[in-house]
Amino acid sequence: MKMNKIFLSLLIAAGTFSSCTGDWLDTVKEGTPNESNFWKNDADYIKAVTTLYDCYAYEETWGRDLFYEQGAADDIVFGRSRGSSQMNLAKLKMNGSSEGPIKWVYNQMYETMSAANNVIYHALQIPETKRTPIQKRSLGEAYFMRAFTHYMIAYRYGRPDNGVPFVKYEDFTDYAKQINEIPTQQATVMDDYKLIVEDLQKAADHLDWFKNYSTDDYGRATKDAALGYMVKTYAFWAQHDKSQWTKIPALVDRIQNEGGRGLLDSYADVFKADNEWSKEYIWSVSSKGSNYAGSIFPGISLENKGWGVYNGWGYMKPTLELFAEYNDKDVRRGVTIMQYGDSFRYFGEDWKWYSNSDIEVGFAFKKYMEPFSYGKILRDANGKVTGYENSHISTNGDRPTTDLNLPLMRFSELLLFKAEALIMQGQNAAAAEPLNRIATRAHEGINYTNPTMMDLMHQRRCELAFEWTDRLMDLKRWAGSGNADWNKDALAKIKGAKHGIKHVDRTNPNSPIDTTNGQTITVNGKTYQGAIVIGAGQGDPKEYEPGGTYSVLPYEINQVIKSNGKLKQNAGYASNF
């Protein structure tokens, strides 16, 4: 792994995507730098740090490919037929050689980690008293991105008996030689979590709170984000060491009290571009409709071909099981999911939802639809759609970005982690306060006094559905914690079948449910007619054992082979040598 070359290739690519309100990511290619003519001034550090954020904007990461892993959970199905690599993920049949999407993510996280390492190494060559404010901030951003990319690998690949590869350049004794070596694999994932927390603390020490940033720097790493991901790291660490739960509540309180974070009054307002930098913001993929900048996820989840107006991709749809999780009072359901006949605003017009494309499910996700509500549809004299006008979305349907940032962590998730940490310590009554803040905003008609893990799991699912919080790994960590009812419930949700609702006429938003060809089933204590098992094998029950082979991802076979023994494959997967 040629670390210097990785850094330079990222640096040259800077500016391919822009991802914030300010112009700090709009860089210009200026030729190929090298170690001898770089790291001379603030401008060099700004350029170097800018490359670290590129990974968020790729289609192969937070554009869509990471979300293919959620096909194995209970909230989503692939709206269109997918190839064997995606279906292996959905069916929990990975083998280390045929999961195309996760292979690219793995490589990208390590490339970004390497580039962050390089920034840290060079910044630390400057005595602390001589670092400029920009160099100090750059060091904090690099610590954050090294921790974040390390975290993205650790919790998805790491086991208590097998950690993930990681190295710190500042520990090198022979930089020129060691920079080209394969990173050392940690003995356990707990060792990785320890190193991640250390980096996040260093990031927090060098960065300011988001509330103190100017708009020109929105989208940069902050103290809020560093401490927020420390909370999440502790939650995954607590799978193997329950004492880690004790560290979470105070961290969340600090983010709220010192950082000024909180909940918006309206759940629907969270998913409007005007509020993407609100007090609920912790971390997101900053996006723009112009310049194809940021995440294409809103476009890939839009109805395939966008009812003839825009090139939606139709890749992700919600399950009946997710719909049934909400009670009828819960405002989050209408913000998150559309069903037949639901009204929505589309290019300046009032529409009623239906779907006649690809796999029949009977539902669609709504959370990221706001940018598509603006503008107007252009039609000829016969009423045929000829185009559209909408300044909030990309003009390139092959890269359908929008003005709406893609949230990766919101303050509500931190409140949920606080509640979970308290429940896991037997402080159920104390967990009522953060959990009630979530439930009250949802208008569920629920007031907790002594919430249980089942209550926590319900709120986490309803609050964070179709967000990048990793529902599948939540279920895995809950299923693997014991034999209580909530452990069994999480396991059943991993293994269970997934359903949709069939309609008589898919092209009619007012179509009745097809009770002839659909079944009558009970989900979450509610009876639904017209239910169908999701097609293409996605809805079939799965085999899964907590802590077993599929509790983590396999290292790609070629990575294992070319490591020459330095990368140990996870238990249960063949290593091919």
Side-chain angles (χ1 to χ4, degrees):
M1 185 179 295
K2 302 294 185 180
M3 303 297 186
N4 277 317
K5 291 183 179 179
I6 287 172
F7 167 72
L8 294 178
S9 65
L10 285 170
L11 187 58
I12 293 169
T16 302
F17 304 110
S18 172
S19 65
C20 79
T21 295
D23 294 329
W24 60 273
L25 277 181
D26 292 328
T27 59
V28 178
K29 299 177 184 180
E30 298 178 353
T32 305
N34 57 58
E35 290 293 326
S36 64
N37 65 18
F38 205 69
W39 310 111
K40 300 297 185 183
N41 50 47
D42 283 354
D44 287 347
Y45 278 88
I46 289 173
K47 290 175 187 175
V49 167
T50 296
T51 68
L52 305 182
Y53 298 95
D54 279 359
C55 65
Y56 291 107
Y58 296 133
E59 177 182 325
E60 294 85 355
T61 55
W62 285 272
R64 65 168 177 171
D65 283 7
L66 265 169
F67 216 80
Y68 280 133
E69 294 173 26
Q70 299 308 306
D74 55 345
D75 282 357
I76 72 135
V77 293
F78 306 147
R80 296 167 62 179
S81 296
R82 298 287 85 198
S84 60
S85 61
Q86 291 89 354
M87 292 306 298
N88 285 344
L89 292 172
K91 295 178 179 181
L92 288 177
K93 294 294 183 183
M94 301 87 75
N95 58 25
S97 63
S98 59
E99 303 81 42
I102 60 175
K103 171 185 175 180
W104 203 95
V105 173
Y106 181 91
N107 292 340
Q108 183 58 46
M109 291 304 100
Y110 274 108
E111 288 184 8
T112 305
M113 202 184 307
S114 173
N117 249 330
N118 216 15
V119 175
I120 293 167
Y121 175 84
H122 286 90
L124 290 178
Q125 305 307 304
I126 306 169
E128 183 175 359
T129 57
K130 293 185 178 181
R131 284 179 212 142
T132 68
I134 292 295
Q135 290 166 340
K136 176 184 176 183
R137 186 188 70 191
S138 297
L139 185 55
E141 291 178 88
Y143 277 130
F144 175 80
M145 287 303 297
R146 185 169 75 177
F148 180 86
T149 50
H150 188 185
Y151 156 84
M152 285 299 300
I153 297 296
Y155 86 90
R156 293 161 54 247
Y157 288 83
R159 293 176 53 95
D161 58 357
N162 198 36
V164 307
F166 179 71
V167 65
K168 296 192 292 185
Y169 286 9
E170 62 267 35
D171 291 344
F172 284 175
T173 56
D174 186 344
Y175 179 81
K177 175 178 180 292
Q178 292 173 275
I179 196 171
N180 293 317
E181 294 179 349
I182 295 172
T184 301
Q185 186 173 17
Q186 300 299 308
T188 74
V189 73
M190 294 82 81
D191 294 312
D192 286 288
Y193 290 144
K194 180 178 181 292
L195 292 166
I196 292 167
V197 167
E198 288 175 359
D199 270 354
L200 289 170
Q201 184 59 63
K202 291 175 183 176
D205 292 342
H206 285 81
L207 297 171
D208 204 349
W209 296 106
F210 173 75
K211 66 181 182 181
N212 296 325
Y213 277 34
S214 68
T215 56
D216 286 342
D217 287 323
Y218 281 7
R220 292 189 181 279
T222 64
K223 191 185 297 288
D224 320 53
L227 297 180
Y229 277 97
M230 193 182 298
V231 166
K232 196 155 188 172
T233 303
Y234 281 136
F236 279 104
W237 194 349
Q239 282 183 274
H240 316 294
D241 177 1
K242 295 187 184 304
S243 70
Q244 303 303 323
W245 288 118
T246 64
K247 301 172 182 177
I248 289 177
L251 271 176
V252 177
D253 290 346
R254 186 181 174 200
I255 294 167
Q256 173 179 277
N257 298 331
E258 295 182 38
R261 302 293 86 191
L263 298 181
L264 291 179
D265 293 337
S266 165
Y267 186 76
D269 286 347
V270 175
F271 305 99
K272 296 177 180 177
D274 285 347
N275 300 315
E276 57 197 7
W277 305 111
S278 73
K279 62 182 178 180
E280 197 150 341
Y281 163 77
I282 299 293
W283 193 236
S284 64
V285 179
S286 305
S287 302
K288 295 178 182 176
S290 60
N291 300 324
Y292 322 134
S295 175
I296 65 172
F297 197 61
I300 72 107
S301 57
L302 179 68
E303 174 79 2
N304 189 14
K305 304 304 180 187
W307 301 282
V309 181
Y310 187 77
N311 188 31
W313 295 14
Y315 276 9
M316 309 293 175
K317 295 183 179 182
T319 61
L320 172 60
E321 281 72 20
L322 174 60
F323 183 87
E325 185 74 23
Y326 298 90
N327 72 32
D328 291 340
K329 297 178 181 179
D330 195 331
V331 300
R332 296 175 298 192
R333 186 176 72 183
V335 173
T336 303
I337 299 175
M338 289 190 289
Q339 58 182 322
Y340 266 64
D342 279 355
S343 298
F344 68 103
R345 194 78 171 161
Y346 191 58
F347 288 88
E349 298 181 1
D350 292 325
W351 285 52
K352 286 190 175 182
W353 187 81
Y354 68 92
S355 174
N356 63 343
S357 67
D358 305 306
I359 295 172
E360 184 170 19
V361 178
F363 303 102
F365 283 111
K366 189 181 180 182
K367 269 187 176 176
Y368 311 115
M369 286 285 289
E370 189 234 7
F372 299 102
S373 68
Y374 303 108
K376 64 180 180 181
I377 300 172
L378 305 178
R379 295 181 171 88
D380 63 19
N382 297 317
K384 181 180 178 181
V385 176
T386 59
Y388 65 88
E389 293 178 358
N390 187 338
S391 62
H392 297 272
I393 65 175
S394 165
T395 56
N396 181 358
D398 292 331
R399 184 163 175 77
T401 59
T402 74
D403 280 354
L404 182 63
N405 289 350
L406 183 72
L408 300 185
M409 179 180 284
R410 297 188 286 113
F411 183 70
S412 63
E413 184 179 12
L414 297 182
L415 286 178
L416 288 162
F417 275 128
K418 178 182 178 180
E420 184 174 356
L422 292 168
I423 292 170
M424 294 299 286
Q425 295 177 75
Q427 301 175 42
N428 298 57
E433 188 273 333
L435 215 56
N436 279 332
R437 291 173 65 182
I438 301 291
T440 298
R441 183 173 70 170
H443 298 284
E444 280 189 294
I446 293 174
N447 183 62
Y448 296 110
T449 56
N450 200 44
T452 65
M453 274 299 296
M454 290 292 286
D455 297 322
L456 181 282
M457 292 159 65
H458 162 74
Q459 289 299 337
R460 188 168 174 87
R461 186 181 195 184
C462 292
E463 178 71 17
L464 303 174
F466 202 46
E467 296 182 46
W468 291 75
T469 54
D470 208 328
R471 166 73 176 170
L472 176 60
M473 289 304 293
D474 278 342
L475 291 174
K476 287 182 177 181
R477 66 187 178 87
W478 290 331
S481 298
N483 294 306
D485 288 346
W486 57 273
N487 303 128
K488 296 176 181 178
D489 180 78
L491 180 58
K493 284 180 165 63
I494 296 174
K495 297 174 69 172
K498 295 188 284 191
H499 298 84
I501 294 290
K502 186 173 182 60
H503 287 78
V504 174
D505 180 3
R506 292 186 65 189
T507 67
N508 179 6
N510 298 313
S511 172
I513 289 171
D514 188 345
T515 57
T516 301
N517 297 300
Q519 311 168 25
T520 298
I521 65 172
T522 299
V523 183
N524 198 29
K526 306 167 189 175
T527 300
Y528 294 91
Q529 295 181 317
I532 50 174
V533 175
I534 300 300
Q538 295 186 60
D540 297 341
K542 298 181 290 295
E543 297 179 5
Y544 181 76
E545 179 185 352
T549 300
Y550 303 113
S551 62
V552 295
L553 293 169
Y555 294 107
E556 200 240 334
I557 294 296
N558 288 334
Q559 294 281 358
V560 177
I561 294 173
K562 71 183 182 182
S563 76
N564 196 27
K566 289 188 176 182
L567 178 61
K568 177 185 174 184
Q569 181 62 279
N570 280 320
Y573 294 112
S575 64
N576 272 12
F577 84 98

